[in-house]
């Protein structure tokens, strides 16, 4: 083993460097500042483990296509905004180094995003370019972890913004913050940019405090004696799957969408609660038992300043749904309301720690506790303009899946669209399609029943 040099020895070695070598050393030291925490957050640690198990996979990569229409857009201005956004936000200047005792996040003083300019003939070509960008493996050690392609469309009034970024430094809320910056009027200052490391430190302190310990005890109770995972068409491999996924899309009418929201409101609940009740009914029927353990996403931004923080703050928490009463939609909505309100007090607890504290993994693979998750997303409902152009965003299907099943619901003013994402190694498309069709049928039955009393048919 070689002993570390003394301070005098180190000074002598630096003095022996050529001017060019000293300049390169100064540049390297100035650009790399060790992360304030020695470890990743629990959420980042899960993402890192997935990256190690599935190297090169795009499973944890954000891939968004923003279609700009109705007016010309100065792409050079957008490029400048993207550079400034990355420069201000610590997470987007972060890379990850492996060392003897684990993973160390490294924050660079400057780490420009990878920007490209091109021209496309339409949506198909734009989407193909974005998916190719997402399929290219990330170098988490060298970075950058943000890639943006700005594309001119077939006419001057049409262009595309293609955003690909690794989840280790970004989540859905962060994407909305990026769009806010791109839409910011010229005469206004950029929004604040709280450091992600501040969130990581506060999260660590909270976990060690009384509220963190109380939350850990609550979630341990929720995960205790968990029901078995949902049935599959093929056995789950002991080491997990490669997370290759397919999607089945569905749509629900405006009338049904409004009826589910109204029924939830009558129970002093949100539309999210109403739709989760429908998901519970569909999955309980699919699995053959009323006791369902279902993952759900929270923004993880309940602490001060986190609303403007870029990084991976997303939290995936289990919801334990057990007592359906008479099985009606109203009874399920009330039960979901009770379960989610009880969990809300402890929502800051990282879901990864709940899984780690479980006696044994419930499912093999990327998340040891959850096989199915529910997504309810109304971010960006009001529409957005960038330089006077309408901005429509699309979360592209990368052909991957984070969980065995993911049911996503996106309500809007014209109805609800959604999709059921499934692991192709575990499920046939026909099975996923039947489950999606059953979900929409139960939604329609719930909406059509008097006072929201519809239940399982």
């Amino acid at each position: 083993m070689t002993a570390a040099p003394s301070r005098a020895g180190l000074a002598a070695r630096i003095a022996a460097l050529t001017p060019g070598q000293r300049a390169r050393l100064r540049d390297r030291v100035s650009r790399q500042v060790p992360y304030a925490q020695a470890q990743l957050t629990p959420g980042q640690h899960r993402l890192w483990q997935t990256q190690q198990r599935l190297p090169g996979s795009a499973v944890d990569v954000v891939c968004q296509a923003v279609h700009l229409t109705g007016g010309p857009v100065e792409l050079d201005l957008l490029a400048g905004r993207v550079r400034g956004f990355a420069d201000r936000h610590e997470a987007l200047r972060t890379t990850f180094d492996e060392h003897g005792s684990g993973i160390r996040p490294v924050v660079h003083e400057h780490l420009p995003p990878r920007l490209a300019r091109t021209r496309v003939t339409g949506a198909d070509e734009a989407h193909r370019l974005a998916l190719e960008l997402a399929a290219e493996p990330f170098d988490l050690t060298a970075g950058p972890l943000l890639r943006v392609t700005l594309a001119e469309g077939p006419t001057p009034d049409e262009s595309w913004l293609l955003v690909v970024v690794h989840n280790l430094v970004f989540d859905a809320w962060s994407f909305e913050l990026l769009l806010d910056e791109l839409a910011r009027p010229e005469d206004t200052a950029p929004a604040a940019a709280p450091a992600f490391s501040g969130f990581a430190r506060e999260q660590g302190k909270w976990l060690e405090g009384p509220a963190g310990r109380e939350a850990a005890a609550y979630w341990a109770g929720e995960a205790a004696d968990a029901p078995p995972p949902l049935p599959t068409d093929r056995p789950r491999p002991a080491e997990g799957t490669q997370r290759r996924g397919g999607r089945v899309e569905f749509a629900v009418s405006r009338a049904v969408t409004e009826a589910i929201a109204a029924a939830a409101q009558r129970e002093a609940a949100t539309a999210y609660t109403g739709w989760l009740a429908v998901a519970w009914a569909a999955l309980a029927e699919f699995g053959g038992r009323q006791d369902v353990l279902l993952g759900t996403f929270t923004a993880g931004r309940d602490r001060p300043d986190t609303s403007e923080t870029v990084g991976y703050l997303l939290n995936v928490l289990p919801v334990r749904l057990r007592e359906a009463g008479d099985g009606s939609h109203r009874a399920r909505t009330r039960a979901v309301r009770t379960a989610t309100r009880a969990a809300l007090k402890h929502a800051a607890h990282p879901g990864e720690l709940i899984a780690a504290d479980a006696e044994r993994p419930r499912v093999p693979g990327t998340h040891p506790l959850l096989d199915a998750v529910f997504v309810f997303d109304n971010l960006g409902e009001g529409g957005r303009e960038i330089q006077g152009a309408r901005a429509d965003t699309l979360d592209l299907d990368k052909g991957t899946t984070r969980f065995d099943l993911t049911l996503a619901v996106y309500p809007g003013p014209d109805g609800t669209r959604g999709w059921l994402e499934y692991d192709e190694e575990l499920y046939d498309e026909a099975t996923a399609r039947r489950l999606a069709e059953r979900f929409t049928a139960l939604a329609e039955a719930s909406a059509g029943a008097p006072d929201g009393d519809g239940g399982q048919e």
Side-chain angles (χ1 to χ4, degrees):
M1 181 180 295
T2 303
S6 65
R7 183 176 300 178
L10 184 60
R13 288 169 62 177
I14 293 174
L17 297 175
T18 67
Q21 289 172 327
R22 284 198 294 273
R24 287 192 293 273
L25 178 62
R26 281 195 301 270
D27 180 67
R28 184 175 181 182
V29 171
S30 68
R31 288 187 297 108
Q32 295 193 14
V33 181
Y35 188 71
Q37 295 240 189
Q39 298 179 345
L40 307 178
T41 64
Q44 287 180 311
H45 189 257
R46 177 176 60 83
L47 295 172
W48 178 269
Q49 287 181 318
T50 300
Q51 179 73 18
Q52 302 312 297
R53 197 177 75 80
L54 303 174
S57 172
V59 65
D60 289 317
V61 172
V62 176
C63 183
Q64 296 277 353
V66 184
H67 191 197
L68 302 168
T69 57
V73 173
E74 293 184 39
L75 296 184
D76 288 339
L77 178 58
L78 285 189
R81 289 287 181 92
V82 171
R83 291 190 190 97
F85 186 80
D87 203 46
R88 287 192 301 277
H89 287 280
E90 178 188 271
L92 297 177
R93 294 181 280 109
T94 300
T95 56
F96 300 86
D97 280 353
E98 292 187 74
H99 56 89
S101 59
I103 311 303
R104 183 188 67 157
V106 176
V107 179
H108 302 252
E109 185 178 354
H110 299 292
L111 184 64
R114 197 174 96 183
L115 282 167
R117 287 282 298 270
T118 189
R119 183 186 296 272
V120 297
T121 57
D124 289 344
E125 186 178 4
H127 295 171
R128 178 179 58 79
L129 286 176
L131 292 172
E132 289 176 355
L133 204 60
E136 181 184 342
F138 279 89
D139 185 337
L140 300 181
T141 300
L145 304 188
L146 171 62
R147 303 166 180 168
V148 175
T149 294
L150 302 165
E152 300 176 35
T155 68
D157 290 347
E158 183 178 11
S159 53
W160 294 84
L161 173 74
L162 310 177
V163 179
V164 170
V165 55
H166 202 284
N167 268 137
L168 274 164
V169 297
F170 209 73
D171 58 12
W173 191 293
S174 302
F175 178 65
E176 294 296 318
L177 293 177
L178 171 60
L179 294 184
D180 288 344
E181 168 61 13
L182 299 181
R184 176 174 58 83
E186 279 294 307
D187 58 351
T188 60
F196 179 79
S197 57
F199 162 78
R201 284 193 300 273
E202 290 303 314
Q203 184 185 62
K205 292 177 183 177
W206 183 87
L207 287 170
E208 295 174 356
R213 291 191 292 270
E214 181 184 352
Y218 170 84
W219 289 114
E222 288 297 289
D225 299 319
L230 295 169
T232 57
D233 292 326
R234 287 170 289 280
R236 292 179 171 88
E239 300 302 319
T241 71
Q242 295 300 301
R243 288 308 189 198
R244 290 184 288 269
R247 280 187 187 179
V248 173
E249 297 184 352
F250 58 84
V252 178
S253 71
R254 176 178 177 177
V256 170
T257 299
E258 292 176 345
I260 288 177
Q265 189 174 26
R266 286 193 293 272
E267 302 301 327
T270 63
Y272 160 82
T273 302
W275 282 104
L276 183 52
V278 177
W280 177 17
L283 293 175
E285 183 180 295
F286 181 73
R289 64 177 66 229
Q290 290 303 319
D291 189 356
V292 172
L293 184 67
L294 185 63
T296 188
F297 292 80
T298 66
R301 295 171 183 269
D302 53 332
R303 295 187 179 90
D305 295 331
T306 53
S307 63
E308 299 294 337
T309 302
V310 167
Y312 187 77
L313 285 72
L314 188 72
N315 198 12
V316 188
L317 292 169
V319 176
R320 188 77 177 269
L321 303 171
R322 289 175 257 208
E323 301 297 330
D326 62 7
S328 68
H329 179 67
R330 172 187 284 176
R332 289 186 187 277
T333 299
R334 289 173 175 172
V336 171
R337 181 194 62 195
T338 299
T340 53
R341 284 183 178 176
L344 189 61
K345 179 182 177 183
H346 308 294
H349 191 78
E352 290 77 13
L353 297 184
I354 304 169
D357 291 340
E359 292 184 5
R360 61 183 181 276
R362 181 169 173 263
V363 288
T366 53
H367 200 296
L369 182 62
L370 301 174
D371 61 322
V373 298
F374 175 73
V375 178
F376 180 88
D377 193 353
N378 56 12
L379 285 175
E381 259 186 351
R384 180 184 272 104
E385 286 191 353
I386 295 177
Q387 295 183 27
R390 176 186 171 92
D392 294 301
T393 63
L394 180 63
D395 179 17
L396 296 176
D397 178 7
K398 308 185 302 291
T400 63
T401 182
R402 291 187 177 94
F403 300 90
D404 297 353
L405 292 170
T406 301
L407 179 62
V409 174
Y410 300 96
D414 299 321
T416 296
R417 61 183 179 86
W419 41 259
L420 177 65
E421 191 173 76
Y422 61 96
D423 191 312
E424 293 179 332
E425 294 182 51
L426 302 178
Y427 293 101
D428 295 327
E429 181 183 350
T431 301
R433 192 168 298 281
R434 284 195 299 271
L435 179 55
E437 290 171 353
R438 187 60 183 152
F439 172 77
T440 56
L442 286 168
E444 291 164 359
S446 300
D451 297 322
D453 279 336
Q456 292 176 261
E457 299 172 345

